[in-house]
Amino acid sequence: MKPLAPIRILLAGWLAVLAACSTSPMSRIDSDRARYETWPLEVQQAILNGEAIKGMTPEQVEMSLGKPSQIVSRSGKGGGDDEVWVYKKGNALSGIGGALRNTGISVGGGSGGVGVGTSVGGGGGGPGPEESEVVFRDGKVSRSDAKR
């Protein structure tokens, strides 16, 4: 059974990566459907589309996009303070050095059996994560470029 040990290790790694992925808007809606159904249809549609639109509350944005990667306060135009939610998108594997990016499993027929291989390229980790922002003023979205 030793040939299956690398596969078990690889599968355990992939399960860990998948568990770290963010939840979908639908799963967040399902977790609080009663509240979701009280919001205006325009807000409900934005949440289904994974968007943040002007006028949404932080609770609505979190249901739509999930928890932000970072929250920053800054002085906004016109003298008020803005709360900025930053969302970082990118390769889910880039956080572990990209080492698993080129990992593959192949299954062959006949006497080929099961093979596991990996290679790490020398070209670096690729582009950094994309960032988008949702800006809140007075507890409502005033500007957003975020979309999941």
Side-chain angles (χ1 to χ4, degrees), residues 1-15:
M1 283 283 166
K2 282 190 175 187
L4 293 180
I7 292 174
R8 289 184 184 146
I9 292 169
L10 187 61
L11 289 176
W14 279 111
L15 290 175

Side-chain angles (χ1 to χ4, degrees), residues 9-144:
I9 292 169
L10 187 61
L11 289 176
W14 279 111
L15 290 175
V17 168
L18 291 175
C21 293
S22 64
T23 58
S24 69
M26 201 64 212
S27 65
R28 292 187 295 267
I29 290 168
D30 288 341
S31 70
D32 198 357
R33 184 165 293 278
R35 175 155 290 158
Y36 167 82
E37 290 176 353
T38 66
W39 294 330
L41 289 177
E42 180 179 277
V43 170
Q44 290 180 20
Q45 189 61 50
I47 292 170
L48 282 172
N49 293 337
E51 299 174 319
I53 60 173
K54 193 170 184 175
M56 288 175 80
T57 67
E59 180 182 31
Q60 293 165 339
V61 172
E62 190 170 323
M63 187 175 285
S64 180
L65 299 173
K67 294 192 181 293
S69 305
Q70 181 180 14
I71 298 177
V72 180
S73 293
R74 66 180 178 208
S75 296
K77 296 176 185 170
D81 288 331
D82 292 337
E83 182 175 276
V84 182
W85 288 15
V86 179
Y87 289 88
K88 295 181 182 182
K89 292 190 279 188
N91 185 337
L93 299 178
S94 63
I96 48 180
L100 292 179
R101 188 170 324 141
N102 295 320
T103 300
I105 298 175
S106 64
V107 179
S111 62
V114 176
V116 177
T118 184
S119 67
V120 179
E130 297 176 34
E131 287 188 6
S132 56
E133 299 182 336
V134 178
V135 180
F136 292 93
R137 167 84 45 107
D138 299 323
K140 304 274 185 181
V141 173
S142 63
R143 180 179 62 79
S144 173

